[in-house]
């Protein structure tokens, strides 16, 4: 059990989790967006560490990553800023395996742990290849969050459910990150996860509006909102502007929970 | 060159580093390929198609005048004479037949210069499959004629505007697309790269080159050549020809472009579903490869090549742009064969190594991976000093 497992099980007893995503280093003041999100009711914040070849990301987060790389954001610079900020909610870093592989698995895990990062999502690290990373990450109390896709057969969902730490990331659709018009296959994916494990299960990939959050919140433990927010930052929205949007997601999730 | 382990590893290289959404498709493909490749009916269908449609077997030609000039005995395996002008057809015929066998109706592919895209569109047309090709926007401009060829063949070409807008981004985009459509679509990767089983499967489909060449050399009275030389981008033509000689005493030489030398300049990393040697910066960001030949503009190399380099079974060398044009001219003038710029790298290395690393009198098999028709406009402008 990592600290993230304990914290997210406690959270589940209280409310639906709202997990906004930001690209680390997208702007020089990117941590103020994180702070604003927490103020607006985020329970966990996902922070992207940019990679040159983000194969699981659509155009919005690709553009965010490209800009962050242009600002010379690195694993070390983002960890340093997270350590200084010392946010009170758990931070989960999302990055691609090469970033960790290149820095060194053990060294990455130690850096993330020492910077107060509670977990990581590595979308190109399937369970077959994940063991060496999981071992060093767990030793540093950094949870490895795994993804279940609509295409995952039940035997794989079971193995992923057994191994995922903190929460299970339920992909709502067969697609890369990006905005969408509904919650896709999320209900079926969450149900398959529920049938094999008791780990909190959050829905992501295409959660674009508070209505989507409300829909997904009705059958899951929380939602991840990425491209919808990153697009606004790319368009020039301030941290204050974003706080209003995130509040509306919070309200939608809390209303769903009360009605359930 | 045996099969990789069950997870697709060649030593510490290879594997499957893809999003969970693609894992079921990779596993399905692994099972389907093993089943097909063990089925004499499928294997016969593959060889029949290559014979009737693909122009196989391609000949081996003794390059008499080049041999005299270099003081060697140089034989060329003529993949330039295969349909669509290069070895690429071997792989796409195999994958397109497999696509149909899996009950899928569409193939997608990435392409850099357009050779693999044209070959894929060709096989798709022949076998009645829908085809979409992802090509970096920069390359669609540089290789506009190949875009038109693919369209003539009924394929849709999608310009990729992300990242550096070249081959590596076209691979990313094809993978992103595959996430959305793996149920009815096969991703026809163009080289011995990507997640397992692609590096192994593509090598198997290309190993026809080495198998034919070994037998054809015996007809010339050559049991084992001293050297087998091939150019390497991702490394599919090299893997195919090496496969026929890996168990022999032949020295295997892979010739990379100096600006895309993954073995010479790269370090271990994970990209496009595989662990291999990659050009990357101090933070693990992938760097772009630069070469006069678009087909060698890839910042990585197939994982089995990384493994062969590690083992010392094959040696990888690099050749700069400056000597490539001269090698292309030499082969054209001495032998009446205009090679592709990619292939000219292998020629250039041989010319330079003759009498030195390749001792006088050595017998050499050169894999003539492709013809140079696609490059003549570029070569003309370089020779006229226009670029």
């Amino acid at each position: 059990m990592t600290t993230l497992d304990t914290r997210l099980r406690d959270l589940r007893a209280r409310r639906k989790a709202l997990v906004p995503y930001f690209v680390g280093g997208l702007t020089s003041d990117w941590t103020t967006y994180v702070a604003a999100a927490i103020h607006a009711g985020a329970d966990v914040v996902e922070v992207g560490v940019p990679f040159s070849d983000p194969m699981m990301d659509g155009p919005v987060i690709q553009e965010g990553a490209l800009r962050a790389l242009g600002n010379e954001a690195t694993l070390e610079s983002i960890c340093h800023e997270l350590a200084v900020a010392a946010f009170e909610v758990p931070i989960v870093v999302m990055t691609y395996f090469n970033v960790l592989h290149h820095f060194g698995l053990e060294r990455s895990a130690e850096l993330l742990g020492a910077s107060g990062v509670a977990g990581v999502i590595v979308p190109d690290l399937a369970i077959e290849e994940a063991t060496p990373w999981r071992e060093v990450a767990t030793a540093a109390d950094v949870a490895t969050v795994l993804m279940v896709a609509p295409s995952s057969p039940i035997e794989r969902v079971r193995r992923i459910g057994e191994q995922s730490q903190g929460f299970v990331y339920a992909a709502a659709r067969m697609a890369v990150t990006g905005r969408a018009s509904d919650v896709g296959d999320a209900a079926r994916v969450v149900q398959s996860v529920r049938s094999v494990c008791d780990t909190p299960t959050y829905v992501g990939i295409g959660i674009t509006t508070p209505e989507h959050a409300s829909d997904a919140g009705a059958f899951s433990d929380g939602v991840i909102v990425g491209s919808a927010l990153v697009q606004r930052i790319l368009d020039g929205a301030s941290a204050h502007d974003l706080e209003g949007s995130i509040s509306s997601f919070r309200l939608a999730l809390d209303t769903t929970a009360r009605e359930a | 060159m045996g099969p990789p382990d069950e997870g697709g590893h060649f030593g510490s290289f290879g594997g499957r580093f893809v999003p969970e959404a693609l894992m079921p498709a990779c596993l399905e493909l692994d099972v389907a390929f093993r089943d097909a490749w063990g089925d004499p009916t499928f294997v016969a269908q593959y060889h029949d198609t290559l014979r009737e449609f693909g122009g196989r077997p391609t000949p081996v030609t003794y390059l008499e005048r080049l041999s005299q000039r270099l003081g060697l005995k140089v034989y060329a395996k003529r993949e330039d004479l295969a349909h669509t002008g290069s070895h690429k057809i071997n792989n796409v015929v195999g994958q397109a037949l497999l696509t149909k066998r899996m009950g899928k109706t569409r193939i997608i592919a990435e392409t850099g210069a357009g050779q693999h895209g044209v070959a894929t569109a060709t096989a798709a047309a022949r076998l009645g499959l829908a085809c979409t090709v992802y090509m970096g926007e920069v390359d669609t401009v540089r290789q506009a004629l190949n875009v038109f060829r693919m369209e003539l063949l009924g394929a849709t070409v999608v310009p990729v505007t992300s990242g550096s807008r070249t081959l590596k981004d076209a691979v990313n985009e094809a993978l992103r697309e595959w996430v959305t459509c793996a149920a009815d679509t096969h991703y026809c990767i163009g080289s011995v790269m990507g997640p397992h089983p692609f590096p192994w499967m593509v090598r198997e489909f290309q190993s026809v080159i080495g198998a034919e060449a070994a037998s054809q050399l015996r007809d010339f009275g050559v049991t084992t050549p001293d050297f087998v030389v091939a150019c390497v981008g991702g490394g599919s033509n090299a893997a195919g020809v090496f496969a026929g000689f890996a168990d022999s005493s032949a020295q295997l030489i892979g010739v990379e472009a100096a600006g895309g030398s993954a073995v010479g300049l790269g370090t271990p990393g994970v990209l496009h579903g595989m662990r291999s040697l990659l050009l990357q910066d101090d933070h693990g960001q992938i760097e772009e490869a630069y070469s006069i030949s678009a087909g060698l503009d890839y910042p990585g190399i197939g994982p089995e090549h990384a493994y062969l380099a590690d083992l010392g079974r094959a040696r990888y060398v690099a050749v700069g742009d400056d000597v490539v044009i001269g090698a292309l001219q030499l082969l054209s003038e001495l032998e009446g064969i205009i090679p592709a710029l990619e292939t000219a790298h292998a020629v250039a290395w041989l010319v330079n190594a003759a009498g030195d690393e390749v001792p006088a009198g050595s017998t050499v098999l050169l894999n003539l991976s492709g013809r140079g028709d696609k490059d003549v406009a570029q070569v003309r402008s370089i020779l006229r000093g226009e670029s």
Side-chain angles (χ1 to χ4, degrees):
Chain A
M1 272 276 180
T2 61
T3 302
L4 188 66
D5 285 289
T6 314
R7 290 187 72 173
L8 297 188
R9 277 164 197 268
D10 289 350
L11 174 68
R12 176 161 62 182
R14 288 185 284 120
R15 63 179 183 178
K16 302 288 181 185
L18 174 59
V19 186
Y21 168 98
F22 298 100
V23 178
L26 175 55
T27 58
S28 58
D29 62 346
W30 68 274
T31 54
T32 63
Y33 289 84
V34 178
I38 295 167
H39 192 246
D43 299 296
V44 175
V45 177
E46 191 183 333
V47 174
V49 171
F51 178 51
S52 53
D53 295 79
M55 75 153 119
M56 191 58 201
D57 285 306
V60 173
I61 293 179
Q62 285 174 40
E63 173 64 22
L66 210 59
R67 286 202 206 172
L69 288 172
N71 296 335
E72 300 186 343
T74 65
L75 178 65
E76 282 177 287
S77 72
I78 290 169
C79 281
H80 175 72
E81 289 177 89
L82 286 172
V84 169
F87 294 113
E88 63 269 32
V89 307
I91 301 294
V92 173
V93 156
M94 184 280 194
T95 193
Y96 288 82
F97 191 51
N98 198 51
V99 172
L100 307 175
H101 183 276
H102 193 81
F103 195 71
L105 298 190
E106 199 164 352
R107 202 169 152 229
S108 298
E110 283 165 6
L111 174 65
L112 289 161
S115 309
V117 172
V120 295
I121 301 168
V122 189
D124 57 345
L125 191 60
I127 42 175
E128 281 79 357
E129 297 282 355
T131 305
W133 163 254
R134 266 172 52 89
E135 282 174 2
V136 295
T138 306
D141 195 27
V142 174
T144 302
V145 176
L146 300 173
M147 204 178 262
V148 167
S151 60
S152 307
I154 192 70
E155 321 83 70
R156 290 188 66 81
V157 177
R158 180 170 292 112
R159 288 171 64 195
I160 294 165
E162 279 165 7
Q163 294 181 31
S164 192
Q165 296 166 309
F167 64 95
V168 174
Y169 192 130
R173 66 196 74 244
M174 291 298 287
V176 295
T177 60
R179 290 164 295 173
S181 57
D182 57 37
V183 298
D185 294 327
R188 180 175 66 77
V189 176
V190 171
Q191 193 183 25
S192 75
V193 176
R194 292 251 196 270
S195 73
V196 298
C197 72
D198 179 43
T199 313
T201 303
Y202 302 171
V203 174
I205 312 289
I207 300 296
T208 307
T209 65
E211 290 69 36
H212 296 166
S214 171
D215 291 349
F219 54 77
S220 71
D221 300 305
V223 296
I224 301 148
V225 188
S227 296
L229 301 175
V230 174
Q231 180 66 58
R232 298 202 52 214
I233 301 173
L234 293 174
D235 292 342
S238 68
H240 180 74
D241 296 335
L242 260 279
E243 196 171 327
S245 309
I246 292 165
S247 297
S248 56
F249 279 97
R250 177 77 267 161
L251 185 66
L253 277 178
D254 291 346
T255 309
T256 303
R258 267 199 306 278
E259 286 167 359
Chain B
M1 291 166 74
D5 74 11
E6 201 180 321
H9 302 95
F10 298 94
S12 67
F13 299 106
R16 264 180 301 228
F17 295 87
V18 292
E20 170 60 20
L22 286 180
M23 273 305 295
C26 289
L27 293 166
E28 177 198 12
L29 182 62
D30 189 7
V31 170
F33 173 65
R34 278 171 205 275
D35 180 67
W37 210 226
D39 176 356
T41 311
F42 179 85
V43 174
Q45 196 184 17
Y46 160 79
H47 285 292
D48 288 349
T49 308
L50 285 179
R51 191 184 65 245
E52 290 171 19
F53 177 68
R56 301 211 75 87
T58 59
V60 162
T61 304
Y62 179 56
L63 303 182
E64 192 167 354
R65 298 183 69 208
L66 183 72
S67 295
Q68 271 176 9
R69 175 73 64 94
L70 301 181
L72 305 170
K73 286 178 285 234
V74 184
Y75 297 85
K77 177 59 174 165
R78 301 292 305 281
E79 292 303 294
D80 59 314
L81 295 177
H83 186 34
T84 71
S86 80
H87 68 289
K88 293 287 185 190
I89 196 75
N90 307 328
N91 170 40
V92 296
V93 161
Q95 291 201 50
L97 288 170
L98 189 59
T99 303
K100 291 195 78 157
R101 188 179 163 103
M102 288 190 292
K104 298 189 178 190
T105 54
R106 175 173 175 252
I107 49 180
I108 56 173
E110 84 293 341
T111 197
Q115 293 307 102
H116 174 58
V118 169
T120 305
T122 299
R126 171 75 184 175
L127 295 170
L129 296 164
C131 177
T132 303
V133 178
Y134 292 83
M135 188 172 187
E137 192 180 42
V138 171
D139 292 328
T140 62
V141 175
R142 288 199 288 213
Q143 298 286 344
L145 270 180
N146 271 340
V147 173
F148 183 63
R149 280 191 186 95
M150 290 183 262
E151 288 169 351
L152 273 179
L153 291 160
T156 304
V157 179
V158 178
V160 174
T161 57
S162 58
S164 59
R165 305 178 184 202
T166 59
L167 177 58
K168 80 177 176 75
D169 308 284
V171 176
N172 290 332
E173 208 55 38
L175 284 165
R176 290 178 189 122
E177 170 66 13
W178 201 29
V179 171
T180 71
C181 61
D184 68 354
T185 299
H186 173 66
Y187 176 20
C188 182
I189 283 189
S191 192
V192 285
M193 47 164 285
H196 178 64
F198 285 105
W200 171 50
M201 177 176 72
V202 175
R203 181 253 280 172
E204 288 295 293
F205 286 143
Q206 292 292 2
S207 64
V208 64
I209 303 172
E212 282 179 10
S215 148
Q216 290 163 322
L217 281 178
R218 283 194 289 274
D219 296 341
F220 281 98
V222 177
T223 320
T224 304
D226 299 309
F227 292 85
V228 176
V229 183
C231 65
V232 176
S236 70
N237 90 79
V241 75
F242 288 177
F245 299 91
D247 296 332
S248 78
S249 59
Q251 292 195 47
L252 310 178
I253 308 287
V255 184
E256 297 187 287
S261 174
V263 175
L265 305 172
T267 50
V270 173
L271 177 71
H272 296 153
M274 62 183 176
R275 183 175 190 275
S276 192
L277 294 169
L278 308 172
L279 300 180
Q280 50 188 331
D281 72 9
D282 292 344
H283 304 286
Q285 306 299 340
I286 306 304
E287 293 185 317
E288 278 178 66
Y290 291 98
S291 164
I292 190 170
S293 82
L296 303 184
D297 263 352
Y298 184 67
I301 188 169
E304 190 172 18
H305 287 296
Y307 177 56
L308 292 173
D310 221 29
L311 287 178
R313 177 62 194 97
R315 197 153 66 85
Y316 296 84
V317 294
V319 159
D321 287 352
D322 51 331
V323 293
V324 170
I325 297 285
L328 179 142
Q329 288 177 291
L330 185 72
L331 194 70
S332 303
E333 290 166 13
L334 288 183
E335 297 291 347
I337 300 168
I338 302 174
L341 282 172
E342 291 79 7
T343 314
H345 283 72
V347 178
W349 179 81
L350 187 62
V351 168
N352 184 56
D356 182 17
E357 288 169 86
V358 179
S362 299
T363 303
V364 178
L365 176 67
L366 174 73
N367 197 31
L368 228 148
S369 56
R371 67 177 183 226
D373 302 46
K374 68 184 175 61
D375 299 317
V376 291
Q378 185 187 352
V379 172
R380 181 178 62 175
S381 61
I382 290 169
L383 288 174
R384 287 180 176 177
E386 290 164 7
S387 67

